[in-house]
Amino acid sequence: MRPGFSSTILSRDKVDTLLLLTACLCVLLPHAGHVSWWVTTGCGCMLSWRAWLTLTGRRLPKTWLLLPIAGLLMLGVYLTYRTFLGREAGVTMLVLLLTCKLLEMHAKRDLFVVIFLSFFLLLSSFFYQQTIFAAAFTLLATTLLLTAQLSFQYTGLVPTLRKKFKLSISLLGLAIPLTLCAFFLFPRIQGPLWGLPGDAHNGRSGLSETMAPGGISDLVLSEEIAFRAKFDQPIANKSMLYWRGIVMSDYDGKTWSPAPAGTRNQTAMISFSGKKINQQIILEPQGQRWMFAIDMPSSSATFEERSVGQLNQYMELRSTEPVIQRLRYEIASTPQFQFQLDLEADERIMDTDLPNGYNPRMHNFATQLRRNYSDDHQLIRAVLDYFHDQEFAYTLEPPLLGINSIDDFLFKSRAGFCEHYASAFVNIMRAANIPARVITGYQGGVLNDVDGFFEIRQSDAHAWSEVWLKGEGWVRIDPTAAVAPERVTQNLARAIPQKGLAGFMGQAFSGISWVKGLHMRWDALNNSWNQWILNYNQNTQRNLLDSLGFKNFDWGQISLLFFMSGCVLISVIALPLVLNKPTISPLDRVYFSFCSRMEKLAVARKIDEGPQAYLHRLRNELPGDKLTPVEHFLNFYTTAKYGKHDLSDRSVTQRLKVLLAACR
């Protein structure tokens, strides 16, 4: 018969294999967002091929066909990553090997390889995301894998898929108490349990250490959380929310970057006045050392009285090590300050330096402004008025600029994002002999009414300027505010409404209070998940044990506490299972003894065989003198078991024991 869909009811082997393919698909889906497009396409094709072979009943491909395919896939991995080592290349190879192994399943051993490889791939998905949704999806995939594994273990009567799924959930439920015990009590050490590959922290989104046209406008398309902040007092004016990040004073005609190390005095004089603003900040991992605080930070960053970040001579906040995991710290800022009232000659030269041969029209424009305005304040006001009055546009999609990018922006396109305005403004200031530099960071944020944290997203990334004025020191000037003041007083969405479907959905739901409230509750839940689950570290564990009365515990004592708690939990879980063992009636005990004797004497009873069917087979194995007492025993047992006899009647059991004795 030709292979094909011969029946609308699939055989058990096909159903089990399709269930395994579904479980593997759930394992592979979390990796689809970070592997190369050709890997996703190849895995989809091989999974579809395997499903088609299962449904049509065709044989699996031969080894001579699979080996070249596997070789080409490994060649693709090497050409993509130029190595077989590291996180990205390693995870990609595991993804491809799993799909290839599904095409080469010939024995139960291969099934276990697929199952265990799938569990490992599930674990590796936490390299990329550790959200609540990722944890829930991992739990679903684990349940499907357990169900698939159970499906291949049954012989004889097979329960329904629903019952197998419920059994898998029950198995996971039994593991949850011990899992929670391990999570809270397993000794936490400072730092990771193992060293991650060198590329383990690649792909982090966040501010770059350089700024060029288009850099920040690309970043603000992301709605990822950059950090969260909570204040000890209400913030009356959103225009105060300038989150100071990176100070850039070196310019090559296109790109801004921080000044080279050692080119500035190591101490900068700054004085503060007015009330401090204390902040509690939760910084998302971004793989860099910079941290953020309200402009201007007036203290170092601390966490549980331990310093985690210091201020340098530019009043930049820097962590002691790259931020590769979520960082929580406290810091104070003072909005009223005087920063560096005296500027050294070499510093003035550096902060007024411009590369030669670029932007001649801008230089002429700055020279004319200097002739018209001898006062620096008036000149600055004139430049801001120029931005405001000459119909400049604030846009995420500015036209491309040529080699003289500042000239093209100021006198031709007149359209750009914050980095265009900040760069052009600083260029004009320097050409007019006013020290100036670019600052990148974030501006604004949205208050979550549920947990009281401001949420600052990548879409809040911003660039502004600082100018040095005699008698005032470094002063913040935001030229973007002259063109799009709503960007500073409200948010980016007000200044540049989203287009397309995203913009339509945003406008449609922005006025619905319950949708906004639901979104805030979800963000607050994620924040709690980050703080209490993902950030559960050695200090948090110590505080938990202290609150439970276990003070001054060392590593060995915590291990002993974990071991003892685990034993207690296992005992509590196992006790109901032991007590709920199915009871065997006295009548059945005698019958099982009879079966054991017959197995030694003649033939063993089949697991699905009834007493009369067993008797029929024994008639062919036993001689006549031994068959008669066997017939008496089995006939009486059948009548007593399935008839109207009272099984609790001891006389019935006693009679069966007498018949059993006769079978010797």
Side-chain angles (χ1 to χ4, degrees):
M1 184 176 179
R2 183 181 176 183
F5 301 96
S6 58
S7 175
T8 56
I9 301 178
L10 298 176
S11 65
R12 178 194 164 186
D13 289 341
K14 291 183 178 181
V15 172
D16 291 345
T17 304
L18 291 176
L19 178 60
L20 178 63
L21 291 178
T22 303
C24 291
L25 178 62
C26 290
V27 170
L28 296 172
L29 279 178
H31 295 280
H34 57 81
V35 297
S36 299
W37 65 269
W38 66 267
V39 177
T40 304
T41 304
C43 290
C45 292
M46 285 191 287
L47 283 176
S48 301
W49 185 15
R50 184 63 172 91
W52 177 75
L53 291 175
T54 301
L55 291 171
T56 57
R58 287 178 167 81
R59 292 184 177 181
L60 295 179
K62 300 292 186 180
T63 304
W64 63 265
L65 179 59
L66 288 177
L67 283 178
I69 293 176
L72 288 174
L73 292 174
M74 293 303 104
L75 178 62
V77 172
Y78 183 80
L79 294 177
T80 301
Y81 301 104
R82 296 296 173 182
T83 182
F84 289 121
L85 305 177
R87 183 189 69 173
E88 300 299 332
V91 171
T92 301
M93 283 195 294
L94 288 177
V95 167
L96 293 171
L97 288 174
L98 175 60
T99 51
C100 288
K101 188 62 181 177
L102 288 170
L103 291 166
E104 197 250 341
M105 289 177 55
H106 300 290
K108 186 168 287 189
R109 177 190 66 249
D110 299 320
L111 166 69
F112 289 124
V113 171
V114 169
I115 294 291
F116 294 144
L117 184 57
S118 298
F119 279 125
F120 191 84
L121 267 177
L122 271 181
L123 183 64
S124 68
S125 67
F126 288 117
F127 281 142
Y128 305 95
Q129 53 180 343
Q130 301 172 11
T131 62
I132 299 175
F133 178 78
F137 193 83
T138 299
L139 199 60
L140 172 63
T142 302
T143 306
L144 287 175
L145 282 173
L146 286 175
T147 306
Q149 185 177 7
L150 287 172
S151 299
F152 285 93
Q153 306 304 315
Y154 286 103
T155 58
L157 185 64
V158 180
T160 62
L161 178 61
R162 182 178 179 181
K163 289 184 177 180
K164 288 185 287 187
F165 194 75
K166 288 178 65 177
L167 179 58
S168 299
I169 294 176
S170 300
L171 292 174
L172 285 178
L174 292 174
I176 285 177
L178 191 59
T179 302
L180 293 176
C181 177
F183 177 82
F184 287 109
L185 297 181
F186 189 83
R188 302 275 173 148
I189 61 175
Q190 198 68 33
L193 289 175
W194 56 79
L196 294 179
D199 62 347
H201 306 294
N202 290 351
R204 302 284 192 185
S205 62
L207 285 176
S208 171
E209 62 182 359
T210 61
M211 189 195 79
I216 294 182
S217 56
D218 290 339
L219 179 62
V220 299
L221 296 175
S222 170
E223 286 296 320
E224 292 184 13
I225 295 286
F227 57 93
R228 291 178 170 90
K230 179 182 281 189
F231 303 102
D232 64 342
Q233 57 185 285
I235 300 297
N237 192 348
K238 198 171 183 179
S239 60
M240 294 175 55
L241 299 180
Y242 278 87
W243 304 93
R244 186 181 184 87
I246 309 169
V247 178
M248 300 183 181
S249 55
D250 193 33
Y251 184 60
D252 62 4
K254 180 181 179 181
T255 303
W256 288 92
S257 57
T263 58
R264 296 286 180 127
N265 294 330
Q266 292 302 308
T267 58
M269 297 301 295
I270 185 169
S271 60
F272 298 97
S273 61
K275 190 176 181 180
K276 288 185 178 181
I277 301 176
N278 295 312
Q279 308 140 64
Q280 178 188 132
I281 295 179
I282 303 172
L283 179 63
E284 295 295 314
Q286 28 92 346
Q288 306 294 340
R289 292 181 181 270
W290 44 77
M291 302 161 68
F292 303 93
I294 289 289
D295 199 8
M296 178 73 70
S298 54
S299 70
S300 60
T302 61
F303 177 67
E304 296 181 348
E305 301 181 356
R306 177 174 58 90
S307 177
V308 295
Q310 297 292 333
L311 293 168
N312 61 16
Q313 67 268 32
Y314 305 107
M315 300 306 288
E316 297 173 310
L317 187 60
R318 291 290 180 267
S319 66
T320 54
E321 55 188 13
V323 183
I324 58 177
Q325 56 185 351
R326 198 168 284 101
L327 178 62
R328 185 174 182 174
Y329 58 93
E330 296 175 352
I331 192 170
S333 297
T334 306
Q336 290 79 37
F337 59 90
Q338 287 186 323
F339 180 22
Q340 204 172 2
L341 292 178
D342 296 321
L343 197 65
E344 299 291 338
D346 58 339
E347 292 179 312
R348 186 180 186 90
I349 292 173
M350 177 172 292
D351 288 323
T352 55
D353 180 57
L354 287 173
N356 296 323
Y358 291 93
N359 307 304
R361 293 185 65 184
M362 182 275 297
H363 281 277
N364 293 335
F365 178 65
T367 301
Q368 184 62 42
L369 286 174
R370 179 49 79 189
R371 289 180 187 151
N372 296 339
Y373 305 100
S374 59
D375 181 73
D376 290 348
H377 293 85
Q378 294 179 351
L379 191 147
I380 292 171
R381 184 71 260 169
V383 175
L384 296 178
D385 289 341
Y386 178 78
F387 284 143
H388 182 269
D389 298 337
Q390 294 300 317
E391 297 183 354
F392 277 79
Y394 187 59
T395 177
L396 285 170
E397 300 174 350
L400 294 177
L401 304 175
I403 188 172
N404 295 311
S405 57
I406 304 300
D407 281 355
D408 291 346
F409 169 69
L410 287 174
F411 307 110
K412 292 182 181 180
S413 69
R414 295 186 177 180
F417 200 58
C418 60
E419 66 264 35
H420 297 82
Y421 290 98
S423 180
F425 181 83
V426 172
N427 268 269
I428 296 173
M429 293 297 104
R430 290 190 172 192
N433 201 34
I434 299 177
R437 58 197 185 188
V438 171
I439 313 296
T440 60
Y442 296 87
Q443 200 284 320
V446 176
L447 176 63
N448 190 318
D449 296 327
V450 177
D451 58 6
F453 276 86
F454 273 84
E455 296 171 354
I456 296 87
R457 301 179 181 272
Q458 300 296 351
S459 57
D460 295 313
H462 194 52
W464 60 92
S465 310
E466 279 185 348
V467 297
W468 187 87
L469 299 174
K470 187 175 182 180
E472 299 181 41
W474 290 104
V475 178
R476 181 178 69 235
I477 304 292
D478 190 354
T480 303
V483 181
E486 61 274 13
R487 167 64 184 89
V488 176
T489 59
Q490 298 183 53
N491 53 37
L492 178 67
R494 293 287 186 180
I496 306 177
Q498 287 183 301
K499 299 179 181 179
L501 180 60
F504 172 76
M505 296 295 290
Q507 293 179 4
F509 290 107
S510 60
I512 303 178
S513 58
W514 70 267
V515 173
K516 183 178 179 181
L518 186 63
H519 185 264
M520 285 189 173
R521 284 179 173 81
W522 175 251
D523 285 339
L525 181 62
N526 276 312
N527 187 26
S528 299
W529 171 268
N530 294 338
Q531 292 188 57
W532 302 112
I533 303 299
L534 301 185
N535 275 16
Y536 185 78
N537 53 26
Q538 188 180 42
N539 293 329
T540 314
Q541 186 182 56
R542 187 181 299 113
N543 294 336
L544 173 65
L545 293 175
D546 288 346
S547 65
L548 296 176
F550 302 102
K551 299 183 181 296
N552 302 322
F553 263 39
D554 58 20
W555 192 90
Q557 291 172 321
I558 295 177
S559 300
L560 181 61
L561 177 63
F562 165 66
F563 177 76
M564 294 175 61
S565 302
C567 290
V568 171
L569 281 174
I570 292 175
S571 300
V572 171
I573 294 171
L575 187 60
L577 300 178
V578 174
L579 296 178
N580 289 334
K581 286 178 59 177
T583 58
I584 302 176
S585 66
L587 198 70
D588 289 334
R589 290 182 185 276
V590 179
Y591 175 65
F592 291 149
S593 298
F594 169 81
C595 293
S596 298
R597 292 184 181 183
M598 291 302 105
E599 182 178 358
K600 298 176 182 178
L601 184 62
V603 64
R605 181 180 68 91
K606 296 180 180 179
I607 192 171
D608 57 344
E609 197 170 35
Q612 291 302 312
Y614 191 27
L615 176 60
H616 179 74
R617 286 202 303 127
L618 288 173
R619 286 194 177 104
N620 299 326
E621 300 291 338
L622 294 174
D625 58 332
K626 294 185 178 181
L627 180 61
T628 301
V630 169
E631 288 180 336
H632 291 163
F633 178 90
L634 288 176
N635 288 332
F636 182 80
Y637 172 75
T638 303
T639 304
K641 178 72 173 177
Y642 304 106
K644 297 181 180 181
H645 291 81
D646 183 6
L647 297 183
S648 62
D649 188 355
R650 291 186 177 182
S651 62
V652 176
T653 306
Q654 200 64 31
R655 171 64 178 162
L656 194 64
K657 288 182 178 180
V658 173
L659 294 175
L660 175 63
C663 293
R664 293 177 182 175

